Amino acid sequence: NYGGMEFFNSDSAADADRADTGRTDEAKRIYTADLNMETTAFDDAAKGLTALVGELGGWMQSSGVDYGGSGYRRGNYTVRVPQEKFDAFLTRAGELCHVTYSYTNVEDVSEYYYDTAGRLSTQQTKLERLQTLLSKAESMEDIITIESAISDTEQQIESLSGELKHYDSQIDYA
């Protein structure tokens, strides 16, 4: 309690937000796959893979080629494609080369995502309340204390926003 102004307990507010959220929200899933493929037409396959990724609206996150003995080459690619094109990518990539190994994984991050979104909402509400308190503060001690709490809250908002952006990136692009 500062000069007749009361801080709210962010933990209880976060609990209330989580209780109100429910689980009717859209599922948040991260799709990944690992493919091993072989071909006798390496250059054509590499070009085809690059073209396929671009055609599907994705991008090449990383690529590398190892040159082995006897003229053999091994490509290692990490590609990102829109989640809704994930199955199409797997099918069409399998048409470029002979698939020798395929592994897919779907990670449901809904609980973490919506928990983070709830905590972000709580921190944004806390920031608004702190700014209101600051506008009413009269003593220097109260102003310094509230400004410190505002700074901490802004850092929390930045961190939680970054987490959500990271999740969105992983969810939107398989």
Side-chain angles (χ1 to χ4, degrees):
N1 191 353
Y2 298 98
M5 294 176 260
E6 194 170 89
F7 281 85
F8 71 98
N9 183 332
S10 63
D11 291 338
S12 63
D15 292 342
D17 273 357
R18 282 191 285 278
D20 291 343
T21 301
R23 286 294 167 237
T24 58
D25 300 311
E26 175 186 332
K28 299 292 185 180
R29 297 185 179 111
I30 298 172
Y31 291 80
T32 58
D34 185 14
L35 300 175
N36 288 339
M37 304 184 296
E38 62 184 12
T39 182
T40 57
F42 184 89
D43 292 331
D44 291 340
K47 288 177 188 173
L49 181 64
T50 300
L52 173 61
V53 170
E55 179 185 326
L56 294 177
W59 73 90
M60 194 73 67
Q61 184 172 319
S62 66
S63 64
V65 177
D66 293 327
Y67 296 90
S70 303
Y72 287 101
R73 291 176 281 173
R74 178 185 175 131
N76 187 2
Y77 304 95
T78 301
V79 301
R80 302 293 299 271
V81 295
Q83 183 188 61
E84 66 273 7
K85 306 254 176 106
F86 181 70
D87 291 331
F89 171 78
L90 294 177
T91 300
R92 293 189 48 203
E95 295 167 358
L96 291 172
C97 303
H98 173 71
V99 176
T100 60
Y101 173 81
S102 175
Y103 173 79
T104 58
N105 184 54
V106 180
E107 180 184 4
D108 189 335
V109 294
S110 301
E111 183 177 344
Y112 304 112
Y113 187 92
Y114 291 113
D115 181 60
T116 302
R119 288 186 292 136
L120 175 61
S121 177
T122 298
Q123 291 299 315
Q124 290 167 331
T125 300
K126 179 180 177 181
L127 179 61
E128 291 170 12
R129 291 179 181 174
L130 287 168
Q131 289 168 336
T132 300
L133 287 172
L134 182 61
S135 70
K136 296 176 182 177
E138 295 178 9
S139 75
M140 186 55 70
E141 182 181 342
D142 288 349
I143 291 171
I144 291 170
T145 302
I146 295 169
E147 284 179 344
S148 176
I150 286 173
S151 177
D152 292 345
T153 303
E154 287 172 336
Q155 288 175 354
Q156 282 295 314
I157 288 171
E158 211 173 286
S159 174
L160 293 168
S161 295
E163 279 185 57
L164 286 178
K165 285 178 186 176
H166 176 74
Y167 277 132
D168 286 338
S169 171
Q170 296 294 306
I171 292 164
D172 294 344
Y173 283 86

